[in-house]
Amino acid sequence: MRPNRILHPGLAEALATLGHSDILLVTDAGFPIPAAANRIDLGFYEGLPDILDILCVLRQEIFVEEVHFAGDILEMNKPLYRSLTEIYTGSGAVFKLTTHEQLVDDIAHRAKVVVRSGSFNPWANIALVASTDPNAWFMGEGQVALPAYIERRRMIADNDVPPIVE
């Protein structure tokens, strides 16, 4: 057993397959996951595991450049928005608003992995766009870092709260 690592073999394997720009969708218990999706079903009882617990662990395991969620969260579930802000502050990620319909009709079908929680938290469907470690790339002699990597490095160093970008 590996201490302080994901124990679920399917989830650990799925995370290892993620590359830059792949989508990992973490959903509440009721989300309509497409039949063809690479589904990792962690939900086993109401609220267990909670989506926020899953996101906290994923924050430690993968680099994320974008966090997509329904804009309804901003007004209709402020505690969830505060929690997302806490989890992703200092990550170098940005928040992108979408609609629940786009999550169901588009993003879920493009996601490389869909992880279902046991959460009954309204609008708790969060799409994570995988990234590379911005501090590990473009570090060699004579290499010029892309502006996005420079900005993500700065956001991490400054412990920035994720901005909402269009």
Side-chain angles (χ1 to χ4, degrees):
M1 183 163 30
R2 300 175 344 158
N4 300 314
R5 293 286 178 219
I6 291 176
L7 301 176
H8 189 285
L11 181 56
E13 179 181 0
L15 294 179
T17 70
L18 293 177
H20 192 197
S21 78
D22 284 337
I23 298 171
L24 168 68
L25 178 61
V26 186
T27 73
D28 62 24
F31 191 88
I33 298 171
N38 178 7
R39 176 185 182 135
I40 309 291
D41 199 336
L42 301 180
F44 67 94
Y45 198 78
E46 181 177 341
L48 298 174
D50 186 72
I51 191 167
L52 296 173
D53 294 326
I54 294 169
L55 292 171
C56 283
V57 169
L58 292 175
R59 168 71 165 86
Q60 299 171 47
E61 295 287 326
I62 61 171
F63 285 94
V64 172
E65 64 186 21
E66 297 173 3
V67 179
H68 296 247
F69 53 86
D72 299 311
I73 289 173
L74 297 175
E75 292 299 320
M76 305 297 282
N77 194 342
K78 291 178 183 181
L80 177 58
Y81 178 67
R82 279 192 300 274
S83 294
L84 291 173
T85 300
E86 289 171 13
I87 293 168
Y88 289 101
T89 291
S91 69
V94 298
F95 287 162
K96 291 203 169 183
L97 304 183
T98 186
T99 65
H100 180 71
E101 292 75 20
Q102 288 172 313
L103 286 165
V104 171
D105 297 335
D106 177 36
I107 294 173
H109 294 276
R110 293 188 295 122
K112 189 168 189 178
V113 180
V114 180
V115 177
R116 187 178 76 97
S117 73
S119 182
F120 279 38
N121 200 343
W123 294 285
N125 304 296
I126 313 298
L128 308 174
V129 177
S131 183
T132 56
D133 176 352
N135 293 308
W137 290 84
F138 303 104
M139 299 301 286
E141 187 176 326
Q143 295 178 355
V144 177
L146 297 173
Y149 282 76
I150 294 169
E151 177 60 11
R152 288 186 52 232
R153 288 175 189 162
R154 186 204 58 75
M155 289 173 64
I156 291 168
D158 293 348
N159 202 37
D160 282 359
V161 172
I164 297 175
V165 298
E166 299 299 321

